Amino acid sequence: MTPDKAQSRAALRHDALRFLDRLRAAFPLEQRIERAEMATRGAYARVLTRWIEGKIPSLDLLSPAEMQSLRELDAIVPGPSGIGCYPFSVDDRGISVRLGHRRVSAMCAIDALAMARLARSTGIVDARCVTCLNPVSCEVQANGSLQHDACENARVLWRHAVRKTGSCSDGLCRDLVFLCRQCAAPEDGYCLTLPQATAVANAFFSFQRGLILPGPV
Ligand SMILES: [Zn+2]
């Protein structure tokens, strides 16, 4: 590799790590789950495992106390039709992932890119560019790597915060969006290439892999 190429690869890694650090500071989900009581962690693992199994967790999966604890951590997003759990959303938010024969809604662009590795299945992400609304698609392999042809398809933009309070699903998630290859990134936004964003997504959610329960729950 030429010195120039090595330098630009190091810069790319640096950008991705900075993005990951900022993401973890804005939404310290892993830290919150690590510090939670054993019962709360167990309840979280049950919700997550349902999603991995391809089912939407129903509200009666959790006791009222478990529901409250997980809501206080902003680890789940309960709604009328079930329990959302980052990266999985109960509601259609304009970003979906085809995992095998099923289609799952994602909370945000980063969340969509994390699903394939979590579900150990190829994931085809379908979304729209936040600026021009043209379709954006990419394929993530079951091992979390991006299908090579997809690397230039889009970027992930962390746009200037629309809203900073409340649940991450209504705040930060609304700001993590896809941008197509033609549209310019806004000056106050923070943009990653698709391979960088996929690496960030896998790293952010890697703690969940150790929580997924074996067999049906
Ligand atoms: Zn566009």
Side-chain angles (χ1 to χ4, degrees):
M1 193 186 299
T2 64
D4 275 0
K5 265 194 177 168
Q7 209 170 20
S8 76
R9 282 180 71 137
L12 285 175
R13 269 201 300 273
H14 176 74
D15 281 353
L17 287 172
R18 208 154 59 100
F19 193 104
L20 179 62
D21 284 346
R22 277 181 51 172
L23 198 60
R24 284 178 166 153
F27 184 43
L29 179 64
E30 178 177 358
Q31 208 175 34
R32 289 177 191 170
I33 296 299
E34 259 174 18
R35 291 178 180 174
E37 287 180 14
M38 193 67 92
T40 306
R41 286 169 58 90
Y44 182 71
R46 291 209 309 280
V47 174
L48 189 62
T49 304
R50 276 284 159 97
W51 277 107
I52 298 294
E53 290 173 348
K55 299 166 207 152
I56 294 180
S58 57
L59 294 171
D60 60 9
L61 182 69
L62 298 179
S63 70
E66 290 169 336
M67 187 79 81
Q68 190 184 341
S69 300
L70 287 171
R71 279 190 84 148
E72 282 169 5
L73 299 176
D74 193 16
I76 58 167
V77 184
S81 39
I83 306 170
C85 181
Y86 308 92
F88 304 101
S89 171
V90 172
D91 303 318
D92 176 15
R93 301 167 67 97
I95 302 177
S96 67
V97 183
R98 275 177 279 160
L99 294 168
H101 297 297
R102 62 189 166 117
R103 185 181 286 275
V104 188
S105 292
M107 294 276 192
C108 70
I110 290 288
D111 288 20
L113 294 169
M115 283 186 188
R117 184 161 179 259
L118 285 174
R120 293 184 166 85
S121 162
T122 298
I124 299 170
V125 178
D126 289 307
R128 287 185 180 275
C129 168
V130 69
T131 302
C132 68
L133 303 181
N134 279 335
V136 162
S137 181
C138 66
E139 184 175 325
V140 185
Q141 309 294 309
N143 65 4
S145 64
L146 199 64
Q147 211 261 343
H148 188 69
D149 296 347
C151 292
E152 304 289 327
N153 283 6
R155 289 155 292 161
V156 167
L157 168 69
W158 187 342
R159 59 183 171 175
H160 186 67
V162 174
R163 206 183 126 191
K164 285 184 176 167
T165 55
S167 162
C168 178
S169 61
D170 278 328
L172 176 60
C173 285
R174 304 279 183 199
D175 298 325
L176 292 167
V177 293
F178 285 104
L179 194 65
C180 79
R181 58 197 295 179
Q182 276 88 22
C183 286
E187 280 182 11
D188 61 351
Y190 190 178
C191 219
L192 286 188
T193 65
L194 220 42
Q196 285 179 315
T198 307
V200 166
N202 287 327
F204 185 86
F205 285 103
S206 63
F207 77 97
Q208 290 187 341
R209 283 161 56 94
L211 292 170
I212 296 163
L213 305 168
V217 291

